[in-house]
Amino acid sequence: MSSLVLPIILQLIGVVVLIAEIIIPSGGILAIITVSLIGYSLYLVFTTISTFAGMVFVIADIIMFPIVLFAGIKLLAKSPATLKTSLSKANGFSSQSEELIEFLGHTGMAVTDLRPAGTAVINNRRVNVVSRGEYLDKGTEIVVLEVEGNRVVVKQVEKE
């Protein structure tokens, strides 16, 4: 029975290192250590005890490791290392500047060449804008066509 002690200890250490791999970002180093510990444990069982005992260890590993992985991920989800809040509009977070929508339909002046992106002044504010693909010279009068997220699409004002 004393020949079983070392493989069991190696298996348990492998489980602990696997959980550590889930929690600690190691770039796969801990995963390699886990595989090495389990592999050496299985080697010892197959060579010093018996093939039957080795197969029992393999079956136990096949059953145990998915359970440990699932439990480790659940543990990580409850740990203080994870983000507990969601960044939503209901919580006051927005990826889009609310004031950009105000520029829809307003006119302004291109302060840089738009190739097709550049800067314009709309309502006395400098805004990063993009044309519909055409090149617009600096000083061109522009109108805002649409606002998608942080993207303000403009076109040249039609001269009558």
Side-chain angles (χ1 to χ4, degrees):
M1 273 301 170
S2 65
S3 59
L4 265 179
V5 173
L6 182 60
I8 290 174
I9 290 173
L10 290 173
Q11 290 272 324
L12 293 175
I13 293 172
V15 168
V16 170
V17 175
L18 178 65
I19 292 173
E21 170 65 27
I22 294 169
I23 297 171
I24 302 168
S26 69
I29 294 171
L30 293 177
I32 292 170
I33 293 170
T34 299
V35 170
S36 300
L37 287 167
I38 299 304
Y40 186 61
S41 168
L42 291 175
Y43 170 77
L44 288 177
V45 171
F46 274 106
T47 57
T48 61
I49 300 172
S50 70
T51 305
F52 178 74
M55 291 308 292
V56 169
F57 268 68
V58 168
I59 291 170
D61 286 343
I62 289 172
I63 294 169
M64 179 180 54
F65 279 101
I67 293 170
V68 168
L69 218 88
F70 181 75
I73 292 172
K74 289 294 185 183
L75 176 73
L76 180 64
K78 290 181 171 59
S79 81
T82 58
L83 180 65
K84 298 268 191 257
T85 59
S86 64
L87 303 177
S88 66
K89 239 181 185 168
N91 293 337
F93 297 100
S94 175
S95 66
Q96 176 179 346
S97 177
E98 296 294 330
E99 61 228 19
L100 289 180
I101 200 75
E102 297 172 3
F103 296 132
L104 197 57
H106 288 208
T107 59
M109 186 74 62
V111 293
T112 64
D113 292 337
L114 303 184
R115 328 176 175 187
T119 305
V121 173
I122 305 168
N123 293 349
N124 297 322
R125 277 197 55 217
R126 289 177 67 93
V127 182
N128 291 326
V129 297
V130 63
S131 70
R132 295 178 298 174
E134 61 266 3
Y135 176 87
L136 299 177
D137 289 319
K138 175 181 176 180
T140 303
E141 192 175 353
I142 48 106
V143 63
V144 178
L145 294 177
E146 62 183 281
V147 177
E148 290 180 359
N150 289 330
R151 189 171 148 236
V152 179
V153 180
V154 298
K155 75 171 188 170
Q156 184 173 2
V157 172
E158 304 290 326
K159 304 275 188 206
E160 291 182 20

